[in-house]
Every structure is written in structure tokens, then in C-alpha cells.
Amino acid sequence: MANIRPFCMPKWGIEMTEGTIAEWMVKEGEAFSKGQTLCLIETAKITNEVEAEYDAVLKRLLVPAGDDAHPVGALLAVFADADATDAEVDAFVEAFKPADTAVAAKAGAGAAAEAPAPAPAAPAASAPARQPIKIVTNRPISPEALKLAEAEGVDIEGIEGSGRNGRITYQDVAQALKPERGASYRGTVLLPEEIRAIFASPLARRIAAQNGIDLSGLAGTGPRGRISKADVLALVKPKAPAGAPVFGAPFEPVDNRPQVQPFDKVRKVVAKRLTEAKQTIPHFYLRVSAAVDELIALRKTANMVLGVKASINDYLVKAVALALVRHPDVNVQVHGDSVHVFPHADVAIAVASPKGLVTPIVRQADRMHIAQIAAATRALIDKAQAGRLGYEDMDGGTFSVSNLGMFGIEQFDAIINPPQGAILAVGGVNKVAIELPNGDIGFESRIQFTMSVDHRAIDGAAGAQFLQTLKGLIEAPEGLFQ
């Protein structure tokens, strides 16, 4: 009997309840091999690539790309051996009625790992046989990734882990097993079939095909040299602007009907969450300003000494983190009728990305030095702008910082990001006139802060004391290095 397996909607993280197939990379009836990208699945904030963990054929495609969101555990497709008949597949689909969503989700996330793996294909004549090895390492690596690396004789020292805190995942080892792309792809503009053979993200390949861009000589900036969307967009030539109207020419009406752009999945989720937050959370607002001349001067000196390019926002994140651990009644999450108080500050930073507003988290920022915070925020911003943020990058958080000062905004009110209890809106730096001790008029740089607070969990006095501590750290910034 043929080996038939279900492919269900996977579950990534506790809060994921549904997902959408953004794109199928394999067609119905087409064979695929281990490590090949099967499809792209969109969740609330991220798009994940699903890679095959065994060789098989996509015998039945049940959910097309772009269809509505489907719950975790929903049957998306059926994988089977090449000799499986349509009757066998029909019977399998009819019999597949998952009684337990958790079991179905487990099957969807790793059906290949649960099912008995088929016999490995014979290696190509030109590829040398790999010998199993024993790996002893203190690097963070998943058990399945270590098992695969030992079985295939892979040297993990040269692998850059893509998991949390640099953890080497199964996909990292599988990618290291792929042969390097050679010069056989060089030449004129590549066809879509040829573009698929280059180590690039699916979105990067699609943009390249649409714009006639040759990826063969392009060096990727993603993990292990992968070509990302940003790499390709950098090569897209902007369209020539329309000519300016001649002065005095007769006015000719043009079609001014709006271009209707429905919310994409991410924007729908963001709109829903923000609406619920504003309607269900009793917001109140606390405002304060702080002098930042000393912070600006210290930042310039400290960056030279430390050899980093920490931004003002990095210093603000550090100040917020220190103030949170001194005021734990603000470092909270609200879950129903209970308040969760945390010993360390996980500070979320609001970032504008191609997928909308995202809030990746700097974990335990109160324990980090400025250089570490600068490196962590830069890495998160780069991942957000490249659309590569994972669930682990945005899960949790005890407080948010939203900075629009770089856009010239002096002051604004932000909406709380549940389940967090507060968010700090940071305005721009402005010169204001002050009276000097000798009676003369001078100028100093000040920055405006507005904290939006969930009144269910945080009282006004607690929020005010937090802001006073934050102001003191900013105006006496030496305390940020203690």
C-alpha cells in the first residue's frame, strides 16, 4: 500500500489559531525533494516558508493559494508516494477527520517527522558519500538538527543558526546539505524556472521575474547569503515620472477614481487588535518632558569609546528598561482578571515594515549594555524590513516604545499593545527657551513623552513615579552605565 500523509495547517506559537496559504511552490502532481520549499503560510505578522522533510509527490491540493484563512489543523494537501492511486487518495481524504485539533496541528507542522521516512534516494554519482560523525558542541542546536548533522557528517561550525539566540535548526542543517549554486545560472535574464534554482526567498524570485532581473551574480544579504526581497528591490529601476504640464495649457480632466486596496491579512489583524485595545482598555495618559542635552553629548562620547552607533532610541530603551525594574508595578501584562508582574524588562519597539506595524522585542533589556541593545535593535529592524521576523521575535513583551520623533512629530498618543499594560510615545527633540540662573535667556534640547496606561492594572501615581525615574535617568544619563 502506498505511503500517504496529510499536510495540515501548522501551529507556530500559542496565539496562532489560523493561517493563509500565500503561495504554493509545488504544483499538484509534482514531485518534491527533502529541503525544498513547499509553500508560504501567512500568519498575523509573519510569512513562514514550509520546507519538505522527505521526498514525495503532492497528490492532492485541497486549499489553493490566496484562499481564506484556515484554522490550525485543517487539511491543506495530501502527500504520497508516486505510485499512490487517485482512489487511495480519495479514501484517505474522506477518512481524514481529525478528532483533536492539537493532533492535527502536530501532523501539519511535522507530518514528515511523524510518518516513517521513505528510503533515501541514491546519491548522485558526482557527490561523495557522506560519513556519519559524532558531534560534541556547546552551541545551541535542536535535537533533530544535531541528529541530522551527525547522520550526514555536516560540520556545524560554519552554520549560522537562524533560531532564537542563534540556535541551529533542522532547516539550517538541511540548507547546509544543499549543493552550492555554480556558474551554470549565469547569463542573460533568467526564466522563472531558472530563478527558482538560485538561493533566494520566494518573494525575491517573484520580484526578479517580474522585473527581468538576473539573480545569478547577486550577493544576498540574508542568512547564509540568501537573496532577500530588499536585495532585489535595490535593483528595480524606478519608473520615469510623468512630464510636468505646460504652463497655460488647457485643463484636461483625468480619471480620478480611487484605487480600491482591500486590507491584506496583516492589516486586518492589526486593525482588529487596535480596535479591541482602544474599545476595551481604559486608557489614560501621562505627559512629561526631559532635557536631553547631556544625553546627546554622552551618546557622542560613549559611541566613540564603545565603537558602536547606538541611536538616541537605544539609550531610551535602556532608560525605560531600568525604570521598569525599579517600578515593577508598571512592568506588567494584563490577562483577564489577573496581572502578571515580571522581574525583567522585555521592551517592544514599534517598527514600520512592509507587512505593517510590528513590535519586535528586546529581551531583558535591563541586563544589556548599550552596545548590546544597539546590536539587538538593529538586527530586529533589519529582519522587520526584510519581512523575516519570526513568532519568537514578537511573542510577549512587558512594555512598548513607539518613537516618531525622527519624522518631526513633537507629541502623540499611542494605543496600548495588549496584553502589555503601557506604551511610551516618544516625540522629537526640540530647542526651547529657558531662564538661566543669572537671569539671561538660554536654550536647551527637550523631548516630549506621553505614556498611555491601562487603568485596570496601573494607577496614576505608579505611572507618574515611573516617568519621574525615567526623566531622571535621561537627564543624568551616567546612570545608564551603572
Side-chain angles (χ1 to χ4, degrees):
M1 182 177 179
N3 192 6
I4 304 177
R5 311 172 187 85
F7 175 63
C8 304
M9 180 63 69
K11 183 175 179 63
W12 295 307
I14 298 175
E15 295 183 356
M16 178 179 174
T17 58
E18 62 181 15
T20 302
I21 298 290
E23 181 179 359
W24 282 103
M25 313 306 295
V26 180
K27 299 178 181 178
E28 186 172 273
E30 184 176 335
F32 57 84
S33 58
K34 180 179 178 180
Q36 181 178 345
T37 301
L38 299 176
C39 63
L40 306 182
I41 295 182
E42 282 188 353
T43 62
K45 289 286 188 180
I46 58 176
T47 299
N48 281 337
E49 297 181 4
V50 179
E51 293 186 354
E53 298 190 4
Y54 51 82
D55 298 343
V57 176
L58 200 166
K59 280 291 187 177
R60 186 67 51 82
L61 196 157
L62 301 173
V63 176
D67 200 9
D68 293 336
H70 291 266
V72 168
L75 185 61
L76 305 177
V78 176
F79 301 155
D81 297 336
D83 57 356
T85 65
D86 289 341
E88 289 176 321
V89 174
D90 291 339
F92 180 86
V93 173
E94 181 65 23
F96 187 82
K97 296 179 180 179
D100 190 306
T101 302
V103 174
K106 184 178 181 181
E114 299 294 325
S126 59
R130 294 182 178 271
Q131 298 297 327
I133 60 174
K134 179 65 176 177
I135 298 176
V136 179
T137 180
N138 59 0
R139 293 189 63 190
I141 181 171
S142 72
E144 291 299 321
L146 180 61
K147 187 185 302 181
L148 176 63
E150 290 182 336
E152 297 291 340
V154 177
D155 181 9
I156 66 172
E157 293 304 317
I159 298 178
E160 179 184 353
S162 61
R164 185 171 179 178
N165 297 324
R167 188 171 190 249
I168 299 174
T169 65
Y170 184 96
Q171 287 76 14
D172 295 330
V173 178
Q175 184 61 51
L177 287 169
K178 292 183 180 181
E180 294 185 1
R181 307 303 181 190
S184 58
Y185 303 105
R186 300 184 183 277
T188 56
V189 175
L190 301 179
L191 298 175
E193 295 79 9
E194 296 169 309
I195 292 177
R196 284 183 183 275
I198 294 178
F199 187 32
S201 71
L203 185 55
R205 292 196 295 263
R206 185 162 64 249
I207 295 174
Q210 292 172 348
N211 293 274
I213 295 175
D214 182 2
L215 298 181
S216 60
L218 181 60
T221 60
R224 301 179 300 281
R226 189 186 198 201
I227 299 173
S228 67
K229 169 189 172 183
D231 297 328
V232 180
L233 288 178
L235 300 179
V236 176
K237 296 180 179 179
K239 296 181 180 179
V246 179
F247 179 76
F251 176 77
E252 296 182 4
V254 296
D255 186 359
N256 195 32
R257 288 175 295 181
Q259 180 182 5
V260 180
Q261 297 180 342
F263 281 174
D264 58 20
K265 182 175 178 59
V266 174
R267 181 60 64 182
K268 286 181 181 178
V269 172
V270 171
K272 179 180 178 181
R273 286 175 60 88
L274 292 180
T275 301
E276 290 177 351
K278 192 64 175 177
Q279 291 178 340
T280 61
I281 297 177
H283 288 60
F284 74 94
Y285 306 94
L286 299 173
R287 310 181 198 279
V288 72
S289 67
V292 292
D293 288 300
E294 290 191 24
L295 176 62
I296 293 172
L298 181 139
R299 167 182 172 264
K300 182 177 180 180
T301 303
N303 282 359
M304 292 176 60
V305 173
L306 298 175
V308 298
K309 294 183 178 180
S311 66
I312 288 292
N313 200 64
D314 295 329
Y315 285 84
L316 294 179
V317 169
K318 176 65 175 181
V320 164
L322 291 178
L324 285 172
V325 296
R326 297 180 190 179
H327 299 276
D329 45 359
V330 179
N331 192 37
V332 301
Q333 290 181 353
V334 183
H335 296 271
D337 295 331
S338 62
V339 177
H340 296 192
V341 183
F342 294 82
H344 295 289
D346 291 342
V347 182
I349 53 174
V351 179
S353 76
K355 299 184 73 63
L357 180 67
V358 293
T359 52
I361 299 165
V362 181
R363 307 282 177 182
Q364 298 191 15
D366 56 295
R367 303 178 61 193
M368 289 184 173
H369 298 299
I370 290 295
Q372 294 173 315
I373 291 179
T377 56
R378 183 69 264 167
L380 290 171
I381 291 172
D382 290 344
K383 289 179 70 175
Q385 293 176 345
R388 294 189 293 107
L389 282 175
Y391 175 82
E392 66 278 2
D393 295 318
M394 296 184 289
D395 180 32
T398 60
F399 192 92
S400 290
V401 173
S402 180
N403 190 341
L404 294 179
M406 69 283 291
F407 299 108
I409 301 300
E410 296 182 0
Q411 189 181 68
F412 67 102
D413 299 338
I415 299 176
I416 296 171
N417 182 23
Q420 298 168 18
I423 182 173
L424 185 71
V426 182
V429 177
N430 292 296
K431 287 284 187 181
V432 297
I434 60 170
E435 183 180 359
L436 300 176
N438 61 4
D440 292 339
I441 299 297
F443 292 89
E444 70 177 4
S445 300
R446 299 192 71 85
I447 192 168
Q448 299 284 338
F449 299 101
T450 301
M451 187 167 75
S452 306
V453 186
D454 185 343
H455 215 330
R456 297 174 301 175
I458 303 173
D459 294 330
Q465 291 167 0
F466 165 82
L467 285 179
Q468 285 301 312
T469 299
L470 176 64
K471 178 178 180 178
L473 288 168
I474 292 172
E475 294 186 341
E478 297 82 4
L480 300 179
F481 291 90
Q482 296 178 357

